[in-house]
Every structure is written in C-alpha cells, then in structure tokens.
Amino acid sequence: MTVSTTTLVAAVLVLGVGTFAFRYAGPALRERMTLPPRAEQLLGVSTIVLLAALVATATMLDGREFDSIARPAGVVVGAVLAWRRAPFVVVVLAAAGTAAVLRLLGVP
Amino acid sequence: MRSIYRTLRADRALARDIALVCVADGVVGLSFGAITVGEGLPVWLPMLLSVVVFAGAAQFMFVGLVASGGNPVAAVLAGLLVNLRHVVFGFTVGDVVGRGWQRAAGSHVMVDESVAFALAQPDGERRRAAYWGCGVAVFVCWNLGVLAGAFLGTAVSDPAALGLDAAFPAVLLALVLPALRDRTTALAAAVGAAIALATAPFLQAGLPVLLALAGVVVALARARSASRPEEVAA
C-alpha cells in the first residue's frame, strides 16, 4: 500500500464530515423555512424515486455490470410476495433464500 | 427517547422487521470488514469508516478505490457522490430527526433503511420510532459486524452465498411498495429506475441514482396534463 496512514485517516475524516453535512442539511434547513404542502409532497415523491432507483441498480448491477441472475430472481420473488402483502420477514427471507438456492444450483 | 422505546415495544411487528434488517446488515458489515483487511488495508480502516461515515455503499466504493491503488482524493469524491442523495432524504425525514444534539445524532443514523422504514409508517409517532429504532440499531449491528469481520478475516462470510445481496433491494422494495400504490409516485419511480439502469453502465456510481430524480419531473408533467383533460384531448 502506497498511501500513508495520515493521508488515509484524513481521507476518511473528510468523507465523514462531507457525508454528515449532506445528512444534516435537510433537517437544519427545513426548520428555517415552511414549505408549501405541494413541495412537501414533491420531496416525499423524490425520496421514493431515489429509493426505487437504488432498488433497481442494487438488483441488476454490481458496479457497472449486469452480473447476476440469481439476485434479480430473488428480488422478483420478494417483490411478488410484497405486492401480495406478505409479511416483511417472509419477503426478505424469500428473496435471500431464492438467490442463495439458485447460486447453490450453479446459477450466477 | 422513551416514547420511541415504548412505541417499538408496543409494535412488535415493527421491532421484529427492524431486527431482521439489522441481522442482514450485520452480516454484510462482517464481509466489509473481512474484505477490507483481506485487500491488505489496515485493520482500523473499516472500523473508522463505519463509525465516521456509516454508509455501506460509499464505504465499499472508498475501500475498492484505495485498495486498487486509486488516489485517496478520488476515493473521497466518489464516496461523497454516492452519499449526495442524503440531502433529499434529510428534507423528507427532517421532522423526525429532532433538534440540538438529537439532530446531530439523528442525522448521522440517516441511512437508506431508516429512511425507508420511516416512510412506510402510517403516523408521526411510529414514523419517529421507526427512523430512530432502525437507524440506531443498524448503526450498532453494522459496526459490530465490521469489527468482527476485520478481526476474523475473509473466511467468515460470503453475503452472496446467503443471498444477502438480494435482501437489501428486497428490504427497500417492501418498504416503498405502499407508496407506489399512488399512480403518480409509481410512474415517477418507474421512470427514475429506468433512467438509473440505463445510465449506470456508463456513469460514476451515485450519479445514476441522482439522475433518477428526473422521473419526478416526468410524472409531474403527466399529473398536470391529466388534471386538465381538455388540453390532452386538444
């Protein structure tokens, strides 16, 4: 490893402070302004869209590559169960279980 | 804080769901610690990252870049880009984060899971309990997992063999699904997810998810035109 300990610690701290600033900004700024109901609703939709995009990319990709069949298959099983209002525990365990079993069978 | 504890004691199902997510995240933390040390990086690095940054995707990104000989500045910028979405999260869940020192602690436990759990709750009290309960519990489990993984080494776990890489998206999906029963939100989410998937092979991690916000604009335009049918017909 070529990076010095000091550099590495500094990098982690800068990443930590920056991430904290991102997290703190919303709660702190919210207090200083009253948002119209329309804007509140928009923010709610934006957060759902961000989470949905995370679901899509985390399901289909590893980094920049479409790499797996077992993982999307597991998530689809979970999605069907969730849509049919199965309990959360069942959804998550079925998704993980499906992916695990498929991998055991040699599916990538 | 006592009311959060009371709410979670009363709502056993919510507490159980949070516990399940904590276990899954703990195992992923275990592998994060093991992988980082396995790459030849110092044993304190995964632990420091997990306490100070506490954001799984950004931590994996940072470690991956540093381990492959990347510039630490580039690793920091890449991690920040992945974490930029928290600005939007913060505006949405700001009401449950609290004030003063609580706001500092509450902001730090803002992760995908705690935000998604909060949004899935029907009322304000449970929203607050879900956010804090999930955030604090995941913080503890994630850090314990990373600590154990860093010392036990690579032999301990492969999250993919357990299907845990499918568990994370399934968790978020199950939690956002109630909101997707609203058609405008569902359209925004579908367009956003499509944009993220289409751009992900070409862009720096973090950007595709941010670009998904364009889905909100598309859905809004549609909702507006749908509410004025005479213009659609024209």
Side-chain angles (χ1 to χ4, degrees):
Chain A
M1 205 187 63
T2 51
V3 184
S4 78
T5 301
T6 319
T7 311
L8 211 47
V9 172
V12 173
L13 292 182
V14 173
L15 179 56
V17 169
T19 300
F20 182 80
F22 292 158
R23 286 171 165 149
Y24 194 80
L29 290 175
R30 237 188 103 102
E31 191 185 52
R32 293 158 189 262
M33 49 176 135
T34 28
L35 294 171
R38 184 90 181 120
E40 293 264 359
Q41 194 194 348
L42 262 184
L43 281 168
V45 174
S46 301
T47 295
I48 296 292
V49 169
L50 286 176
L51 292 171
L54 277 178
V55 169
T57 50
T59 299
M60 300 305 298
L61 299 143
D62 182 21
R64 295 183 185 182
E65 282 166 47
F66 293 86
D67 66 320
S68 170
I69 294 167
R71 186 176 58 238
V75 177
V76 167
V77 169
V80 170
L81 288 168
W83 188 254
R84 304 193 62 175
R85 299 176 200 266
F88 181 79
V89 177
V90 174
V91 171
V92 176
L93 292 182
T98 304
V101 168
L102 285 175
R103 289 208 176 98
L104 210 57
L105 296 173
V107 178
Chain B
M1 292 298 107
R2 285 221 345 250
S3 71
I4 290 170
Y5 180 67
R6 267 204 308 272
T7 307
L8 286 174
R9 275 204 65 154
D11 192 340
R12 284 293 175 85
L14 176 58
R16 185 196 58 207
D17 293 352
I18 289 174
L20 175 71
V21 172
C22 282
V23 172
D25 281 352
V27 177
V28 176
L30 203 66
S31 82
F32 174 73
I35 288 169
T36 306
V37 175
E39 294 275 7
L41 292 165
V43 75
W44 54 263
L45 180 64
M47 293 186 263
L48 185 67
L49 273 169
S50 298
V51 172
V52 173
V53 181
F54 184 44
Q59 291 179 219
F60 273 107
M61 170 71 59
F62 180 90
V63 160
L65 287 173
V66 172
S68 62
N71 184 334
V73 176
V76 168
L77 292 177
L80 287 175
L81 187 60
V82 170
N83 286 340
L84 197 54
R85 66 182 184 283
H86 291 89
V87 176
V88 177
F89 289 168
F91 272 98
T92 310
V93 297
D95 57 320
V96 296
V97 170
R99 291 154 176 268
W101 70 267
Q102 274 192 17
R103 181 180 293 157
S107 298
H108 195 53
V109 297
M110 187 187 295
V111 287
D112 303 318
E113 291 90 335
S114 58
V115 171
F117 260 107
L119 291 183
Q121 305 310 312
D123 58 72
E125 188 50 46
R126 263 189 283 185
R127 202 170 133 91
R128 213 165 82 87
Y131 178 83
W132 279 88
C134 178
V136 171
V138 166
F139 183 81
V140 171
C141 290
W142 175 252
N143 278 287
L144 287 178
V146 171
L147 179 76
F151 283 111
L152 297 180
T154 35
V156 287
S157 74
D158 175 12
L162 298 169
L164 289 177
D165 53 339
F168 172 71
V171 162
L172 293 186
L173 184 61
L175 292 171
V176 300
L177 207 58
L180 296 183
R181 293 183 195 268
D182 171 67
R183 293 190 64 176
T184 307
T185 308
L187 178 66
V191 173
I195 292 171
L197 281 181
T199 56
F202 315 106
L203 297 179
Q204 178 73 32
L207 266 182
V209 167
L210 295 175
L211 287 178
L213 288 174
V216 179
V217 181
V218 173
L220 269 185
R222 214 188 107 109
R224 194 162 296 161
S225 66
S227 64
R228 280 179 292 179
E230 73 281 9
E231 285 180 22
V232 175

